[in-house]
Amino acid sequence: MSRRVTLKEVAKEAQVSPATVSLVLNNKPSRIAKETQQRIRDVAARLHYVVNENARGLVTNETRLIALIVPDIENMFFASLARHLEDACQEAGYALFLSNSDDRRANESALMTNYLARDIDGMLLIPSLESYRQPRQLQRQIAAAHCPVTLIDRLVTARICDGVGFDNVQGGRLAARRLLEARHRRFACISGQTDDINASNRMQGFVDVLRSHHIDADDILLLNGNYRFTGGYELADCVLDFGATGLFCCNDLMAMGVMQRLAEHDLHVPQALSIVGYDNIMRRFGMTSQLTTVEQDVHELAVRSWECLYRHIRLHDTGRDCATATSVTLLEPRIVEGATVADAPAKVFA
Amino acid sequence: MSRRVTLKEVAKEAQVSPATVSLVLNNKPSRIAKETQQRIRDVAARLHYVVNENARGLVTNETRLIALIVPDIENMFFASLARHLEDACQEAGYALFLSNSDDRRANESALMTNYLARDIDGMLLIPSLESYRQPRQLQRQIAAAHCPVTLIDRLVTARICDGVGFDNVQGGRLAARRLLEARHRRFACISGQTDDINASNRMQGFVDVLRSHHIDADDILLLNGNYRFTGGYELADCVLDFGATGLFCCNDLMAMGVMQRLAEHDLHVPQALSIVGYDNIMRRFGMTSQLTTVEQDVHELAVRSWECLYRHIRLHDTGRDCATATSVTLLEPRIVEGATVADAPAKVFA
DNA sequence: ATGAAAGCGCTAACAC
DNA sequence: GTGTTAGCGCTTTCAT
């Protein structure tokens, strides 16, 4: 572990001034002798010189640093998103720093402050659930930030900055249509926690379509799950008792939990129960290839989010950014056919 | 999005010198009038002043920044580790920046350079598979780093810096002993890719114990999987054809794939096949509560890794760090009892 | 073709 | 009690 070499030391060793070294190492247009250039590069390499980006940022006023705050890095959806975002940033020559708010406003706030203190060029933020419901504090913090902020996936209502997410209501609609198509008439929906607006929206879209197809409220069972395997597992019996033939789970993990429970009852999917999941994020493991599910294209989300932030960064560098109205982009989910939806058992028309 | 406020501006607004502001805002011992202090704090708050950590780092020569590079953030084991490490760093007043090498040396190298250029105080590194097999390049880079580096989980052989990981050979032994205990005499083991040394070590420990218990090589089937659900699923039939009654999967995901395939054959676990998995990382989803598995305590790994790095950071701050011999810490895995191992069917002694 | 000097935002020693 | 000064490592005019 060697001490850090500075530009000045390189300059001295190469018998030139610091300014010359800077020009050469940054490939700035200059008319410095080819020979001198080579000498400088050689010395820099030999000494393992690496520029101090912080010092550079101080004078250039850009750090080429992007911060990403996710609520839960152990959630595969966010992990996958992080990965795609990193690719996007890297391609544009930015480094992505990632942190985890654990879905709590206090952590989120501390992280934001920390990142802003690091003089980042932009921030990608998936708000904590707490901020999703009570956005005021977060909004104030974003307004005070010195750099552009783009919200992802959880779009807090008042439009304080741009956001990119999915149309969750539409996702719920897709699920409902698919089950109606298979002639089901009695349904259940396992949503997320009551304070998760995205999950609620999925359920909302689902119910809306059912109602508009004249499904009676008595034929729809609405449940709140925990977005985990266990949540589906534990609620499966309720769904069976209710006699639903079509089930919509607001994420795949719960759908798998339900299937596990059904297997224990020696019941088969989709004969005993048709299931539509949500996310298709576990497909990476080859685990949900069987599941009919509403897919959210994480890659698209990442690309669009980055585009949005990058646009603001460029605006911010040049003139003023403030003028533009904030925009909210909603991406369309799509349904992916698996093998967990079958036609409802034929029945005498009631 | 407001422009950034500097300390100087706060000073001017509060009618004091920059130095005074610095002293007050950093709570440095000084005898500045209570009244002045309050005035400064008020102004700072009103102007939304936030210190520029980069500028500060330039003079204090510590950034309180830690870098973490993982091979694959979508792998739950690494995601979970990242989370625990972040907690540890945060508690010590450091910020953790996370990146993803995608298991490739080239990315890893670029990320390291980038982080080192950011003047981080320390680096936590899980080497890419490429570096795990061909450590020379990585070793050179670590040797040239200006800050301490701690290796995690994949301990490259030549001891260029400290490392903390698990005893994978021991994990394999535990699995073997558990199956022998249940009187199995014919085994299969699904390992990882041939270049994954950790997976190979697990298999090695497994085989060693079997052989030392006089299990014939003909009674042991060795397979290379892909560490995914599909890997287990696809190899399940091989295991059945071989007639193994005890199976060791080098991770839980493959174990689940096997179980899925068995279910399709209407075979039950553990009656038809006893299975020991590895990781217990999906337990977070409530998915493997049933699986008998070798557990690696991620939290312990995180804590010990951070302790190790932190020790070096402190040494590095004070005198020289170089003198100390590098140490490798191997943590012990432990077996977690589930419901997937049963006694082998009774049999006439051959 | 190269160097000198100023300054980015901050802290730390030392004046006053 | 508070201000002055120098300097962290770097880039960027502007001289020469």
Side-chain angles (χ1 to χ4, degrees):
Chain A
M1 185 171 29
S2 32
R3 216 187 41 77
R4 204 164 171 149
V5 175
T6 72
L7 182 144
K8 228 190 281 186
E9 299 175 90
V10 175
K12 193 199 278 189
E13 183 77 11
Q15 321 243 45
V16 291
S17 82
T20 311
V21 176
S22 175
L23 287 175
V24 171
L25 261 30
N26 290 312
N27 298 308
K28 283 282 152 70
S30 73
R31 297 134 359 208
I32 287 165
K34 275 266 142 98
E35 195 228 51
T36 314
Q37 299 213 14
Q38 198 49 55
R39 180 156 37 94
I40 291 173
R41 282 184 214 289
D42 288 348
V43 171
R46 179 155 53 79
L47 266 40
H48 297 295
Y49 171 73
V50 21
V51 66
N52 185 328
E53 289 284 357
N54 297 339
R56 167 189 279 167
L58 210 51
V59 26
T60 61
N61 207 26
E62 59 161 23
T63 54
R64 303 196 80 77
L65 240 39
I66 304 295
L68 168 62
I69 300 179
V70 302
D72 177 10
I73 192 58
E74 292 185 79
N75 179 319
M76 279 172 293
F77 178 75
F78 298 129
S80 183
L81 178 60
R83 204 187 128 82
H84 287 290
L85 282 171
E86 199 181 344
D87 290 347
C89 292
Q90 215 159 308
E91 204 171 330
Y94 287 77
L96 208 230
F97 288 162
L98 170 58
S99 292
N100 196 72
S101 71
D102 204 17
D103 255 326
R104 283 209 284 270
R105 170 62 197 150
N107 295 336
E108 176 181 87
S109 171
L111 287 171
M112 285 182 70
T113 305
N114 198 325
Y115 276 123
L116 292 171
R118 245 90 209 196
D119 209 16
I120 52 171
D121 288 347
M123 178 177 295
L124 298 161
L125 175 63
I126 301 156
S128 63
L129 275 186
E130 289 179 10
S131 291
Y132 199 13
R133 292 184 43 213
Q134 298 263 338
R136 274 162 309 199
Q137 240 202 83
L138 174 62
Q139 283 163 356
R140 244 184 287 122
Q141 200 174 10
I142 291 176
H146 71 268
C147 71
V149 177
T150 294
L151 260 25
I152 307 183
D153 191 50
R154 294 176 180 169
L155 282 11
V156 304
T157 49
R159 311 192 159 190
I160 200 71
C161 66
D162 282 7
V164 181
F166 288 106
D167 187 341
N168 287 285
V169 178
Q170 175 64 10
R173 288 195 202 107
L174 292 175
R177 292 204 193 106
R178 180 66 190 86
L179 289 171
L180 284 169
E181 214 176 277
R183 312 203 166 281
H184 290 275
R185 307 294 296 168
R186 195 162 167 90
F187 304 88
C189 172
I190 304 183
S191 181
Q193 283 151 277
T194 48
D195 61 352
D196 183 334
I197 304 179
N198 284 348
S200 305
N201 284 343
R202 289 172 196 178
M203 183 156 87
Q204 191 58 54
F206 183 71
V207 171
D208 283 353
V209 166
L210 294 186
R211 299 311 306 271
S212 75
H213 280 72
H214 314 296
I215 301 294
D216 197 90
D218 292 346
D219 286 322
I220 309 176
L221 175 67
L222 267 21
L223 298 167
N224 286 300
N226 61 2
Y227 257 49
R228 296 166 170 232
F229 187 88
T230 52
Y233 184 87
E234 286 154 13
L235 291 172
D237 288 346
C238 292
V239 174
L240 292 175
D241 290 347
F242 181 72
T245 65
L247 168 66
F248 173 41
C249 289
C250 287
N251 78 355
D252 287 346
L253 221 40
M254 293 192 294
M256 297 190 67
V258 170
M259 289 165 75
Q260 164 83 28
R261 183 68 187 144
L262 292 187
E264 290 176 10
H265 287 310
D266 272 321
L267 291 172
H268 289 272
V269 174
Q271 293 82 359
L273 182 66
S274 284
I275 303 181
V276 176
Y278 211 107
D279 274 353
N280 207 19
I281 197 65
M282 302 181 76
R283 135 198 67 150
R284 210 184 145 261
F285 299 142
M287 291 186 77
T288 56
S289 49
Q290 320 281 19
L291 191 59
T292 298
T293 191
V294 178
E295 174 172 290
Q296 314 202 85
D297 188 333
V298 182
H299 179 254
E300 188 187 5
L301 180 62
V303 168
R304 300 291 290 272
S305 305
W306 169 245
E307 279 174 7
C308 177
L309 180 62
Y310 191 45
R311 188 159 15 92
H312 282 286
I313 291 176
R314 284 190 319 240
L315 280 170
H316 191 242
D317 278 356
T318 62
R320 256 295 164 277
D321 185 11
C322 312
T324 51
T326 65
S327 77
V328 171
T329 307
L330 281 193
L331 306 178
E332 291 296 315
R334 66 193 194 87
I335 196 147
V336 174
E337 202 54 48
T340 54
V341 174
D343 283 353
K347 225 183 201 174
V348 180
F349 191 73
Chain B
M1 183 172 31
S2 34
R3 214 187 44 76
R4 204 167 171 147
V5 175
T6 70
L7 180 145
K8 230 190 279 185
E9 298 174 86
V10 175
K12 193 196 280 185
E13 184 77 10
Q15 320 243 48
V16 291
S17 83
T20 311
V21 177
S22 176
L23 286 176
V24 171
L25 262 30
N26 290 312
N27 298 308
K28 282 282 153 70
S30 73
R31 299 134 354 202
I32 287 165
K34 276 263 141 111
E35 194 229 52
T36 315
Q37 298 211 15
Q38 197 48 55
R39 179 156 37 96
I40 291 173
R41 282 183 216 287
D42 288 347
V43 171
R46 179 155 52 78
L47 265 41
H48 296 294
Y49 171 73
V50 22
V51 65
N52 185 329
E53 289 283 358
N54 297 339
R56 168 189 277 169
L58 211 50
V59 27
T60 61
N61 207 26
E62 61 161 20
T63 54
R64 303 197 80 77
L65 238 42
I66 304 294
L68 168 62
I69 301 179
V70 302
D72 177 10
I73 191 58
E74 293 186 77
N75 179 318
M76 280 172 293
F77 178 75
F78 297 129
S80 182
L81 178 61
R83 207 187 127 81
H84 287 289
L85 282 171
E86 200 180 343
D87 290 347
C89 292
Q90 216 160 308
E91 204 172 329
Y94 287 77
L96 209 229
F97 288 161
L98 171 58
S99 292
N100 196 70
S101 71
D102 204 16
D103 256 326
R104 282 209 285 269
R105 172 60 199 151
N107 295 336
E108 175 180 87
S109 170
L111 288 170
M112 285 182 70
T113 305
N114 199 325
Y115 276 123
L116 292 171
R118 246 90 208 195
D119 210 16
I120 52 171
D121 287 348
M123 177 177 294
L124 297 161
L125 174 63
I126 300 157
S128 63
L129 276 185
E130 289 179 10
S131 290
Y132 199 15
R133 292 182 43 214
Q134 297 263 336
R136 273 161 309 200
Q137 243 201 83
L138 175 61
Q139 283 163 356
R140 246 185 284 121
Q141 202 173 6
I142 292 176
H146 71 268
C147 70
V149 177
T150 295
L151 261 26
I152 306 183
D153 190 50
R154 294 177 180 169
L155 282 10
V156 305
T157 49
R159 312 190 157 189
I160 202 69
C161 64
D162 280 7
V164 181
F166 288 106
D167 187 341
N168 288 285
V169 177
Q170 176 63 11
R173 289 194 201 109
L174 291 175
R177 292 203 192 106
R178 180 66 190 86
L179 290 171
L180 284 169
E181 214 175 280
R183 313 204 165 281
H184 290 274
R185 306 295 293 168
R186 197 164 167 88
F187 304 87
C189 171
I190 305 183
S191 180
Q193 283 151 279
T194 49
D195 60 352
D196 183 335
I197 305 179
N198 285 348
S200 304
N201 284 343
R202 290 170 195 179
M203 182 158 87
Q204 190 60 55
F206 183 71
V207 172
D208 283 352
V209 166
L210 295 185
R211 298 312 303 274
S212 76
H213 280 72
H214 314 297
I215 301 293
D216 197 273
D218 293 346
D219 286 321
I220 310 177
L221 175 67
L222 268 19
L223 299 167
N224 286 298
N226 61 2
Y227 256 50
R228 297 167 168 229
F229 188 88
T230 52
Y233 184 87
E234 286 155 13
L235 292 172
D237 288 346
C238 291
V239 174
L240 292 175
D241 291 346
F242 181 72
T245 64
L247 168 65
F248 172 41
C249 289
C250 287
N251 78 354
D252 286 347
L253 221 40
M254 293 192 295
M256 296 192 65
V258 169
M259 287 164 76
Q260 164 83 26
R261 183 66 186 147
L262 292 188
E264 289 176 11
H265 287 310
D266 272 321
L267 290 173
H268 290 272
V269 173
Q271 294 81 0
L273 182 65
S274 284
I275 304 183
V276 176
Y278 212 106
D279 274 353
N280 207 18
I281 197 62
M282 302 181 77
R283 134 198 69 147
R284 208 182 147 263
F285 299 143
M287 292 187 76
T288 54
S289 49
Q290 320 282 19
L291 191 58
T292 298
T293 192
V294 178
E295 175 172 290
Q296 313 201 87
D297 187 332
V298 182
H299 179 254
E300 187 187 4
L301 179 62
V303 169
R304 299 292 291 273
S305 304
W306 169 246
E307 279 174 6
C308 178
L309 181 61
Y310 190 45
R311 187 158 17 95
H312 281 287
I313 291 176
R314 284 191 319 240
L315 279 170
H316 191 242
D317 278 357
T318 61
R320 254 294 162 277
D321 185 13
C322 312
T324 50
T326 65
S327 77
V328 171
T329 307
L330 281 193
L331 306 177
E332 292 296 314
R334 67 193 193 90
I335 197 147
V336 174
E337 201 54 47
T340 53
V341 174
D343 283 354
K347 222 181 199 172
V348 180
F349 192 76

